[in-house]
Amino acid sequence: MAGTGSPGRRWRLRAARVVAVVGVVAAALTGPPAAAATPPPYLTLEASYGAGTVTNGWESVERYLDTTTGFRTEGYPADGRGDQDGKRLTYFGGVSRPSSGRFLLYSAPGWNTGSRTTPVLLVHGANDTADRAWANPGEAGGYGCGAASCPSTGLMQYLAARGHRVFAVGFAHKQGDNLMQAQVVGDAIAVIKAKLGVAKVDLVGWSKGQMSTRAYVSSLRPSWGRAYAGDVRRLITLGGPNGGYDYPYAHGWAHDFSIWPECGGTVNAPSPHSHMTCYGLYTAHPEYAMTPAGGQDNYPGQRQMLARWDGVYGVDGAAQDWYTTYYGGQGFSTAGGGIQAAIDAGSLIAPLHSAGVPASVTTYLLAGGSADVVGIFNENRGPSDGVVFVSSALDGTGIPTVGGKATIATANHLELGWHSSAAAQVAAWLA
């Protein structure tokens, strides 16, 4: 009842009412605070690795399983060149050939304390890992980063130091199907949203990583897959083959020496040939073929990036068996089906162009302009980063909202993830 009790008691009651009113008004103006939520029920957290068990500057790594029917264990070369290795083997629970429904989510220092509102998910390229690509380019030793000298920190540390909340995804298959990996990108975003209580994430896709990030936002998916959830603010591609690439077919002879075991090759990459002669021995290796052969299909993600550029830049006529390598047939030392057969077997470039990136996703395209990748035969038919043509990396077909394009003249394809100018450009686009 008003007017009763001591003056001190009446003052405390009035003060309490004022505080309550202020709290209600503040809640009405700002809404409830962001809170962590639960990831979708089809995602299972299988393992977590924290301080003392993770390397390369990451704060933690988690392994998730997407239980959606449709994911499968993809094909791996029998000699082990595509298997999980290093710390990734630990993170995948000692399974060297995990199902593509499993993935790793890396969290950088400051993932939950950074000042930037929208978190960033980094998506690496072919035959790579989130460790080497984003956190320690020198992890694989000399030449692994495209130069004779490789740094020990990368884009992860650069962005985290500037207040970004940084995450990265790690795929089960190093050359896997981009449609399945696009579903995994969506899974990683769903986990980040649940952890931080945010609505949108920024995506950075490097090289082959452009394919899965773009497929996700474009709702290009398997018949069993989920559509885009409308949760990406910005998409940045680094050396992404937006217009496709034909490097393995244009330079197949030089490319094959790094692959064919009889020639001493050990690289986990696909060959444009089904047969090749090494030191006088003519052999077949369907397990390394770009197209399905001999019941094997171990490099679907590479086939999905193919497009013909012979009408623009021609074909390298100085290479051994150049014509049959590109157009198919039996050459002097090699045999293969040619690039068009591989495109017909499942390239995603035309479907991505047709599907289109939603206008709500502002997209930025970054190209490298230095064709000097150490240790490989560089793409020399036109301006390139050594692997992907500049005009392909900057191709805006099917992208209605292009926020910016840039070329780092001094960076090659493998330097785009850590080159200082590339990192600065990415940070500027994320601002």
Side-chain angles (χ1 to χ4, degrees), residues 51-386:
T53 60
V54 297
T55 56
N56 297 316
W58 296 103
E59 181 172 303
S60 64
V61 178
E62 297 171 319
R63 183 177 75 249
Y64 287 88
L65 170 66
D66 187 326
T67 59
T68 305
T69 301
F71 280 108
R72 66 183 188 278
T73 301
E74 299 182 71
Y76 292 80
D79 62 6
R81 64 178 65 189
D83 292 4
Q84 294 294 335
D85 54 12
K87 288 295 290 189
R88 277 70 58 186
L89 184 59
T90 299
Y91 300 151
F92 277 110
V95 179
S96 59
R97 301 176 182 181
S99 163
S100 289
R102 285 186 164 86
F103 66 95
L104 306 177
L105 184 66
Y106 291 71
S107 300
W111 67 268
N112 59 346
T113 60
S115 59
R116 307 283 181 154
T117 302
T118 306
V120 182
L121 177 63
L122 306 176
V123 184
H124 65 76
N127 200 31
D128 211 345
T129 70
D131 286 303
R132 196 218 66 82
W134 307 118
N136 183 5
E139 186 193 66
Y143 308 128
C145 65
S149 178
C150 308
S152 59
T153 61
L155 187 61
M156 178 271 279
Q157 290 92 340
Y158 185 92
L159 293 178
R162 286 156 178 79
H164 291 278
R165 296 183 286 177
V166 183
F167 299 83
V169 66
F171 297 116
H173 196 289
K174 297 179 181 179
Q175 299 277 11
D177 185 317
N178 290 298
L179 296 184
M180 282 198 285
Q181 292 188 349
Q183 293 292 297
V184 167
V185 168
D187 288 345
I189 292 174
V191 173
I192 294 169
K193 287 161 52 182
K195 282 177 176 289
L196 297 179
V198 298
K200 292 189 181 251
V201 169
D202 289 333
L203 284 178
V204 178
W206 183 11
S207 190
K208 181 179 178 292
Q210 170 264 336
M211 297 292 291
S212 56
T213 55
R214 186 165 171 178
Y216 172 65
V217 300
S218 300
S219 286
L220 195 65
R221 60 191 192 274
S223 59
W224 48 267
R226 292 174 292 276
Y228 170 53
D231 46 15
V232 173
R233 183 184 72 137
R234 293 175 181 172
L235 169 62
I236 299 175
T237 69
L238 314 180
N242 287 290
Y245 90 136
D246 63 357
Y247 173 92
Y249 286 87
H251 306 289
W253 175 256
H255 184 57
D256 271 1
F257 277 95
S258 65
I259 300 170
W260 225 257
E262 285 78 9
C263 293
T266 59
V267 173
N268 181 39
S271 168
H273 299 119
S274 57
H275 295 74
M276 183 174 179
T277 299
C278 290
Y279 300 109
L281 181 64
Y282 188 67
T283 57
H285 278 293
E287 67 272 30
Y288 306 131
M290 181 78 78
T291 54
Q296 300 196 55
D297 184 14
N298 301 326
Y299 299 94
Q302 288 282 342
R303 179 173 65 252
Q304 291 166 338
M305 295 190 287
L306 292 174
R308 290 179 62 161
W309 285 85
D310 54 322
V312 180
Y313 294 121
V315 181
D316 181 11
Q320 174 73 42
D321 292 348
W322 68 269
Y323 187 90
T324 53
T325 297
Y326 202 94
Y327 299 107
Q330 176 67 60
F332 181 76
S333 300
T334 58
I339 190 171
Q340 191 58 52
I343 290 172
D344 293 343
S347 172
L348 292 180
I349 299 301
L352 282 171
H353 287 175
S354 178
V357 174
S360 60
V361 179
T362 305
T363 304
Y364 301 83
L365 310 176
L366 186 67
S370 178
D372 68 345
V373 183
V374 175
I376 71 167
F377 187 93
N378 285 278
E379 178 56 79
N380 57 10
R381 294 172 295 153
S384 80
D385 61 11

Side-chain angles (χ1 to χ4, degrees), residues 384-395:
S384 80
D385 61 11
V387 179
V388 175
F389 289 120
V390 172
S391 51
S392 176
L394 301 182
D395 189 341

